[in-house]
Amino acid sequence: MLTLFRITGNSMAPDLSDGALVLAVRLPRRWLRSGQRVVLETQDGAVIVKRIEHVAGRHSLVLTSDNPLTRSRYCDLPLRPRRVFGVVIELPGWWARPARDAAYRG
């Protein structure tokens, strides 16, 4: 199953900037690997996109942001996600650019 998400924030820049659209494909958790970008829901209900630094046991992930200039409370410690929506699919460059608002007339 494919799901479309809009990026908010710059923690995954420069590849995924604020406003960018990404597709995530659902995979079994056992297929998650270091280096993959994932969309997940945290225990406090936040939906985030991060890179897996490493899989820490059966149910936990250690995550990292791509942008070294940002810090996230969800990174560097084992996190047990409530739900993993999927792995971000690598798409042509126009998907990773910020999407224009429907009201934009530029």
Side-chain angles (χ1 to χ4, degrees), residues 27-93:
L27 296 175
R29 280 192 191 215
R30 67 182 179 274
W31 292 4
L32 296 178
R33 300 286 180 258
S34 298
Q36 292 174 319
R37 287 185 288 207
V38 291
V39 181
L40 56 87
E41 182 181 8
T42 64
Q43 290 295 329
D44 62 4
V47 176
I48 62 173
V49 176
K50 297 291 179 206
R51 188 174 299 277
I52 298 174
E53 189 170 299
H54 69 271
V55 178
R58 250 180 87 186
H59 301 289
S60 296
L61 303 171
V62 176
L63 305 172
T64 188
S65 297
D66 283 356
N67 185 345
L69 302 177
T70 63
R71 297 288 303 156
S72 172
R73 65 185 170 136
Y74 302 111
C75 293
D76 303 324
L77 298 170
L79 174 79
R80 187 177 186 149
R82 180 181 294 168
R83 177 170 48 168
V84 176
F85 291 104
V87 173
V88 173
I89 298 173
E90 299 293 328
L91 295 170

Coordinates of all heavy atoms in Angstrom, one line a residue, residues 27-93:
L27 N 5.9 -1.9 4.5 CA 6.7 -3.2 4.5 C 6.5 -3.8 5.9 O 6.3 -3.1 6.9 CB 8.1 -2.9 4.2 CG 8.5 -2.3 2.9 CD1 10.0 -1.9 2.9 CD2 8.2 -3.2 1.8
P28 N 6.7 -5.1 5.9 CA 6.8 -5.8 7.3 C 7.9 -5.2 8.1 O 9.0 -4.9 7.5 CB 7.0 -7.3 6.9 CG 6.6 -7.4 5.5 CD 6.9 -6.1 4.9
R29 N 7.8 -5.0 9.4 CA 8.8 -4.5 10.2 C 10.1 -5.2 10.1 O 11.2 -4.6 10.2 CB 8.4 -4.4 11.7 CG 7.5 -3.3 12.0 CD 7.3 -3.1 13.5 NE 6.2 -2.2 13.7 CZ 6.3 -1.4 14.7 NH1 7.3 -1.4 15.6 NH2 5.3 -0.5 14.9
R30 N 10.0 -6.5 9.9 CA 11.3 -7.3 9.8 C 12.1 -6.9 8.6 O 13.3 -7.3 8.5 CB 11.0 -8.8 9.8 CG 10.3 -9.3 8.6 CD 10.0 -10.8 8.7 NE 9.3 -11.3 7.6 CZ 8.0 -11.3 7.4 NH1 7.2 -10.8 8.3 NH2 7.4 -11.7 6.3
W31 N 11.6 -6.2 7.7 CA 12.3 -5.8 6.5 C 13.0 -4.4 6.7 O 13.7 -3.9 5.8 CB 11.4 -5.7 5.3 CG 11.0 -7.1 4.8 CD1 11.2 -8.3 5.4 CD2 10.2 -7.3 3.6 NE1 10.6 -9.3 4.7 CE2 10.0 -8.7 3.6 CE3 9.6 -6.5 2.7 CZ2 9.2 -9.3 2.6 CZ3 8.9 -7.2 1.7 CH2 8.7 -8.5 1.6
L32 N 12.7 -3.7 7.8 CA 13.3 -2.4 8.0 C 14.8 -2.5 8.3 O 15.3 -3.4 9.0 CB 12.7 -1.7 9.2 CG 11.2 -1.4 9.1 CD1 10.6 -0.8 10.4 CD2 10.9 -0.5 7.9
R33 N 15.6 -1.6 7.6 CA 17.1 -1.7 7.7 C 17.6 -0.3 7.9 O 17.0 0.7 7.6 CB 17.6 -2.2 6.4 CG 17.2 -3.6 6.0 CD 17.9 -4.7 6.8 NE 17.4 -6.0 6.5 CZ 16.5 -6.7 7.1 NH1 16.0 -6.3 8.2 NH2 16.2 -7.9 6.8
S34 N 18.9 -0.3 8.5 CA 19.6 0.9 8.6 C 19.7 1.7 7.3 O 19.9 1.0 6.3 CB 21.0 0.6 9.2 OG 20.9 0.0 10.4
G35 N 19.6 3.0 7.4 CA 19.7 3.8 6.2 C 18.4 4.1 5.5 O 18.3 5.0 4.7
Q36 N 17.4 3.4 5.8 CA 16.1 3.6 5.1 C 15.4 4.8 5.8 O 15.5 5.0 7.0 CB 15.1 2.4 5.3 CG 15.5 1.2 4.5 CD 14.6 0.0 4.8 OE1 14.3 -0.2 5.9 NE2 14.3 -0.7 3.7
R37 N 14.7 5.6 4.9 CA 13.9 6.7 5.5 C 12.5 6.2 5.7 O 11.9 5.5 4.8 CB 13.9 7.9 4.5 CG 15.2 8.7 4.5 CD 15.1 9.9 3.7 NE 15.0 9.5 2.3 CZ 15.5 10.3 1.3 NH1 15.9 11.5 1.6 NH2 15.4 9.9 0.1
V38 N 11.9 6.4 6.9 CA 10.6 5.9 7.2 C 9.7 7.0 7.7 O 10.1 8.0 8.2 CB 10.7 4.8 8.3 CG1 11.4 3.6 7.8 CG2 11.3 5.3 9.6
V39 N 8.4 6.8 7.4 CA 7.3 7.6 8.0 C 6.7 6.8 9.1 O 6.3 5.6 8.9 CB 6.2 7.9 6.9 CG1 5.2 8.8 7.5 CG2 6.9 8.6 5.7
L40 N 6.6 7.4 10.3 CA 6.1 6.6 11.4 C 5.3 7.5 12.4 O 5.5 8.7 12.3 CB 7.2 5.8 12.2 CG 8.4 6.6 12.7 CD1 8.1 7.1 14.1 CD2 9.6 5.7 12.7
E41 N 4.5 6.9 13.2 CA 3.8 7.6 14.3 C 4.5 7.2 15.6 O 4.6 6.1 15.9 CB 2.3 7.2 14.3 CG 1.5 7.9 15.3 CD 0.1 7.5 15.4 OE1 -0.3 6.5 14.7 OE2 -0.7 8.1 16.1
T42 N 4.8 8.3 16.4 CA 5.4 8.1 17.7 C 4.4 7.7 18.7 O 3.2 7.9 18.5 CB 6.2 9.3 18.1 OG1 5.3 10.4 18.3 CG2 7.3 9.7 17.0
Q43 N 4.8 7.4 19.9 CA 3.9 7.0 21.0 C 3.1 8.3 21.4 O 2.0 8.1 21.9 CB 4.6 6.5 22.2 CG 5.2 5.1 22.0 CD 4.1 4.0 21.8 OE1 3.0 4.1 22.3 NE2 4.4 3.0 21.0
D44 N 3.6 9.5 21.2 CA 2.8 10.7 21.5 C 2.0 11.2 20.4 O 1.4 12.3 20.5 CB 3.8 11.8 22.1 CG 4.8 12.3 21.1 OD1 4.8 11.8 19.9 OD2 5.6 13.1 21.5
G45 N 1.9 10.4 19.3 CA 1.0 10.8 18.2 C 1.6 11.6 17.1 O 0.9 11.9 16.1
A46 N 2.8 12.0 17.2 CA 3.5 12.7 16.1 C 3.8 11.8 14.9 O 4.2 10.7 15.1 CB 4.8 13.4 16.6
V47 N 3.5 12.3 13.7 CA 3.9 11.6 12.5 C 5.1 12.3 11.9 O 5.2 13.5 11.7 CB 2.8 11.7 11.4 CG1 3.2 11.0 10.1 CG2 1.5 11.0 12.0
I48 N 6.2 11.5 11.8 CA 7.5 12.0 11.5 C 8.2 11.2 10.3 O 7.8 10.0 10.1 CB 8.5 12.0 12.7 CG1 8.7 10.6 13.2 CG2 7.9 12.9 13.8 CD1 9.8 10.5 14.3
V49 N 9.1 11.8 9.6 CA 9.9 11.2 8.7 C 11.4 11.3 9.2 O 11.9 12.4 9.4 CB 9.9 11.8 7.3 CG1 10.8 11.2 6.3 CG2 8.4 11.8 6.7
K50 N 12.0 10.1 9.3 CA 13.4 10.1 9.8 C 14.1 8.9 9.1 O 13.5 8.1 8.5 CB 13.5 9.8 11.3 CG 12.9 10.9 12.1 CD 13.7 12.2 12.1 CE 13.0 13.3 12.9 NZ 13.4 14.6 12.5
R51 N 15.4 8.9 9.2 CA 16.3 7.8 8.7 C 16.6 6.9 9.8 O 16.8 7.3 10.9 CB 17.6 8.4 8.1 CG 18.4 7.3 7.4 CD 19.6 7.9 6.7 NE 19.2 8.9 5.7 CZ 18.9 8.7 4.4 NH1 18.8 7.4 4.0 NH2 18.6 9.7 3.6
I52 N 16.5 5.6 9.5 CA 16.8 4.6 10.5 C 18.3 4.5 10.7 O 19.1 4.2 9.7 CB 16.3 3.2 10.1 CG1 14.8 3.2 10.0 CG2 16.8 2.1 11.2 CD1 14.2 1.9 9.5
E53 N 18.8 4.8 11.9 CA 20.3 4.7 12.2 C 20.6 3.2 12.4 O 21.5 2.7 11.8 CB 20.7 5.5 13.4 CG 22.1 5.6 13.6 CD 22.5 6.6 14.6 OE1 22.2 7.8 14.4 OE2 23.1 6.2 15.6
H54 N 19.8 2.6 13.2 CA 19.8 1.1 13.3 C 18.6 0.6 14.0 O 17.8 1.3 14.7 CB 21.1 0.6 14.0 CG 21.2 1.0 15.5 ND1 21.7 2.1 15.9 CD2 20.8 0.3 16.6 CE1 21.7 2.2 17.2 NE2 21.2 1.1 17.7
V55 N 18.3 -0.7 13.8 CA 17.2 -1.4 14.4 C 17.6 -1.9 15.7 O 18.6 -2.6 15.8 CB 16.7 -2.5 13.5 CG1 15.5 -3.3 14.1 CG2 16.3 -2.0 12.1
A56 N 16.9 -1.5 16.8 CA 17.3 -1.8 18.2 C 16.4 -2.8 18.8 O 15.4 -2.5 19.4 CB 17.4 -0.6 19.0
G57 N 16.6 -4.1 18.5 CA 15.7 -5.1 19.0 C 14.5 -5.3 18.1 O 14.4 -4.8 16.9
R58 N 13.5 -6.0 18.5 CA 12.4 -6.4 17.7 C 11.4 -5.2 17.4 O 10.8 -5.2 16.3 CB 11.6 -7.5 18.4 CG 11.7 -8.8 17.7 CD 10.9 -9.9 18.4 NE 9.5 -9.8 17.9 CZ 8.5 -10.6 18.4 NH1 8.7 -11.3 19.4 NH2 7.3 -10.5 17.8
H59 N 11.3 -4.3 18.3 CA 10.2 -3.3 18.2 C 10.7 -1.9 18.2 O 10.0 -0.9 18.2 CB 9.2 -3.5 19.2 CG 8.5 -4.8 19.2 ND1 7.6 -5.2 18.2 CD2 8.6 -5.9 20.0 CE1 7.2 -6.4 18.4 NE2 7.8 -6.9 19.5
S60 N 12.0 -1.7 18.4 CA 12.6 -0.3 18.6 C 13.5 0.1 17.4 O 14.2 -0.8 16.9 CB 13.3 -0.2 19.9 OG 12.5 -0.4 21.0
L61 N 13.5 1.4 17.1 CA 14.4 1.9 16.1 C 15.2 3.1 16.7 O 14.7 3.8 17.5 CB 13.6 2.5 14.9 CG 12.6 1.5 14.2 CD1 11.7 2.2 13.3 CD2 13.4 0.4 13.5
V62 N 16.4 3.2 16.3 CA 17.2 4.4 16.6 C 17.2 5.3 15.3 O 17.6 4.8 14.2 CB 18.6 4.1 17.1 CG1 19.4 5.4 17.3 CG2 18.6 3.3 18.3
L63 N 16.7 6.5 15.4 CA 16.5 7.3 14.2 C 17.5 8.5 14.2 O 18.1 8.9 15.2 CB 15.1 7.9 14.2 CG 14.0 6.9 14.4 CD1 12.6 7.6 14.6 CD2 13.9 6.0 13.1
T64 N 17.6 9.1 13.0 CA 18.5 10.2 12.8 C 17.8 11.2 11.8 O 17.1 10.7 10.9 CB 19.9 9.8 12.4 OG1 20.7 11.0 12.4 CG2 19.9 9.2 11.0
S65 N 18.2 12.4 11.8 CA 17.7 13.4 10.8 C 18.9 13.5 9.8 O 20.0 13.3 10.1 CB 17.5 14.8 11.5 OG 16.5 14.7 12.4
D66 N 18.5 13.9 8.6 CA 19.5 14.1 7.5 C 20.2 15.4 7.7 O 21.4 15.6 7.3 CB 18.9 14.0 6.1 CG 18.6 12.5 5.7 OD1 19.0 11.6 6.5 OD2 18.0 12.3 4.6
N67 N 19.5 16.4 8.2 CA 20.1 17.7 8.3 C 20.9 17.8 9.6 O 20.3 17.8 10.7 CB 18.9 18.8 8.3 CG 19.4 20.2 8.3 OD1 20.6 20.5 8.6 ND2 18.5 21.1 8.0
P68 N 22.2 18.0 9.5 CA 23.0 18.0 10.8 C 22.8 19.3 11.6 O 23.2 19.4 12.7 CB 24.4 18.0 10.2 CG 24.4 18.5 8.8 CD 23.0 18.1 8.3
L69 N 22.1 20.3 11.0 CA 21.9 21.6 11.7 C 20.6 21.5 12.6 O 20.3 22.5 13.2 CB 21.8 22.7 10.7 CG 23.0 22.9 9.8 CD1 22.8 24.0 8.8 CD2 24.2 23.2 10.7
T70 N 19.9 20.4 12.5 CA 18.6 20.3 13.3 C 18.8 19.2 14.4 O 19.6 18.3 14.2 CB 17.4 20.0 12.5 OG1 17.6 18.7 11.8 CG2 17.2 21.1 11.4
R71 N 18.1 19.4 15.5 CA 18.0 18.4 16.5 C 16.6 17.9 16.7 O 15.6 18.7 16.5 CB 18.5 18.9 17.8 CG 19.9 19.4 17.8 CD 20.9 18.3 17.8 NE 20.8 17.4 18.9 CZ 21.1 16.1 19.0 NH1 21.7 15.6 17.9 NH2 20.9 15.4 20.0
S72 N 16.3 16.7 17.0 CA 15.0 16.2 17.2 C 15.0 15.3 18.5 O 15.9 14.5 18.7 CB 14.6 15.3 16.0 OG 13.3 14.7 16.3
R73 N 13.9 15.5 19.2 CA 13.8 14.6 20.4 C 13.6 13.2 20.1 O 13.6 12.3 21.0 CB 12.7 15.2 21.3 CG 11.3 15.1 20.7 CD 10.3 15.8 21.6 NE 9.0 15.9 20.9 CZ 7.9 15.6 21.5 NH1 7.9 15.2 22.8 NH2 6.8 15.8 20.9
Y74 N 13.3 12.9 18.9 CA 13.0 11.5 18.5 C 14.3 10.8 18.0 O 14.2 9.6 17.6 CB 12.0 11.5 17.3 CG 10.7 12.1 17.8 CD1 10.2 13.3 17.2 CD2 9.9 11.5 18.7 CE1 9.1 13.9 17.6 CE2 8.7 12.1 19.1 CZ 8.3 13.3 18.6 OH 7.1 13.8 19.0
C75 N 15.4 11.5 18.0 CA 16.7 10.9 17.4 C 17.6 10.5 18.6 O 17.5 11.0 19.7 CB 17.3 11.9 16.5 SG 16.4 12.2 15.0
D76 N 18.5 9.5 18.2 CA 19.6 9.1 19.0 C 19.3 8.2 20.2 O 20.2 7.7 20.8 CB 20.4 10.3 19.5 CG 20.9 11.2 18.4 OD1 21.3 10.6 17.3 OD2 20.9 12.4 18.5
L77 N 18.0 8.0 20.5 CA 17.6 7.0 21.5 C 16.7 6.0 20.9 O 15.9 6.3 20.0 CB 16.9 7.8 22.6 CG 17.7 8.8 23.4 CD1 16.8 9.6 24.3 CD2 18.8 8.2 24.2
P78 N 16.7 4.8 21.4 CA 15.7 3.8 20.9 C 14.3 4.3 21.1 O 13.9 4.8 22.1 CB 15.9 2.6 21.8 CG 17.3 2.7 22.3 CD 17.5 4.2 22.5
L79 N 13.5 4.2 20.0 CA 12.2 4.7 19.9 C 11.3 3.5 19.5 O 11.6 2.8 18.6 CB 12.0 5.8 18.9 CG 10.6 6.3 18.6 CD1 10.2 7.3 19.7 CD2 10.6 7.1 17.3
R80 N 10.2 3.3 20.2 CA 9.3 2.2 19.9 C 8.1 2.9 19.2 O 7.2 3.5 19.9 CB 8.8 1.5 21.1 CG 8.0 0.3 20.8 CD 7.7 -0.5 22.1 NE 7.0 -1.7 21.7 CZ 7.1 -2.8 22.4 NH1 7.8 -2.8 23.5 NH2 6.4 -3.8 22.0
P81 N 8.0 2.9 17.9 CA 6.9 3.6 17.2 C 5.6 2.9 17.4 O 5.5 1.7 17.6 CB 7.3 3.5 15.7 CG 8.4 2.6 15.6 CD 9.0 2.3 17.0
R82 N 4.5 3.7 17.5 CA 3.2 3.2 17.6 C 2.8 2.5 16.3 O 2.2 1.4 16.3 CB 2.2 4.3 17.9 CG 0.8 3.9 18.0 CD -0.2 5.0 18.2 NE 0.1 5.6 19.5 CZ -0.4 6.8 19.9 NH1 -1.2 7.5 19.1 NH2 -0.2 7.3 21.1
R83 N 3.2 3.1 15.2 CA 2.9 2.6 13.9 C 3.9 3.0 12.8 O 4.3 4.2 12.8 CB 1.5 3.0 13.4 CG 1.1 2.6 12.1 CD -0.3 2.8 11.8 NE -0.8 4.1 12.1 CZ -1.9 4.7 11.7 NH1 -2.8 3.9 11.0 NH2 -2.3 5.9 12.0
V84 N 4.4 2.1 12.0 CA 5.3 2.5 10.9 C 4.4 2.5 9.6 O 3.8 1.5 9.2 CB 6.4 1.5 10.7 CG1 7.3 1.8 9.5 CG2 7.3 1.4 12.0
F85 N 4.2 3.7 9.0 CA 3.4 3.8 7.8 C 4.1 3.2 6.6 O 3.5 2.7 5.7 CB 3.1 5.3 7.5 CG 2.1 5.9 8.5 CD1 2.6 6.7 9.5 CD2 0.8 5.6 8.5 CE1 1.7 7.3 10.4 CE2 -0.1 6.1 9.4 CZ 0.4 7.0 10.4
G86 N 5.5 3.4 6.6 CA 6.2 2.8 5.5 C 7.6 3.4 5.2 O 8.0 4.3 5.9
V87 N 8.2 2.8 4.3 CA 9.6 3.3 3.9 C 9.4 4.3 2.7 O 8.6 4.0 1.8 CB 10.4 2.1 3.4 CG1 11.7 2.6 2.8 CG2 10.6 1.1 4.5
V88 N 10.1 5.4 2.8 CA 10.0 6.4 1.8 C 10.6 5.9 0.5 O 11.7 5.4 0.5 CB 10.7 7.7 2.2 CG1 10.7 8.8 1.1 CG2 10.0 8.3 3.4
I89 N 9.9 6.1 -0.6 CA 10.3 5.6 -1.9 C 11.1 6.7 -2.6 O 10.7 7.9 -2.5 CB 9.1 5.3 -2.8 CG1 8.3 4.1 -2.2 CG2 9.5 4.9 -4.2 CD1 7.0 3.9 -3.0
E90 N 12.3 6.4 -3.1 CA 13.1 7.4 -3.9 C 12.3 7.7 -5.1 O 11.9 6.9 -5.9 CB 14.4 6.8 -4.2 CG 15.2 6.4 -3.0 CD 15.7 7.6 -2.2 OE1 15.9 8.7 -2.7 OE2 15.8 7.4 -1.0
L91 N 12.1 9.0 -5.3 CA 11.3 9.5 -6.4 C 12.1 10.5 -7.2 O 13.1 11.1 -6.7 CB 10.0 10.2 -6.0 CG 9.0 9.2 -5.3 CD1 7.9 10.0 -4.6 CD2 8.4 8.3 -6.3
P92 N 11.7 10.8 -8.5 CA 12.3 11.9 -9.2 C 12.3 13.2 -8.5 O 11.5 13.4 -7.7 CB 11.5 12.0 -10.5 CG 10.8 10.7 -10.6 CD 10.6 10.2 -9.2
G93 N 13.3 14.0 -8.8 CA 13.5 15.3 -8.1 C 12.3 16.2 -7.8 O 12.2 16.8 -6.8

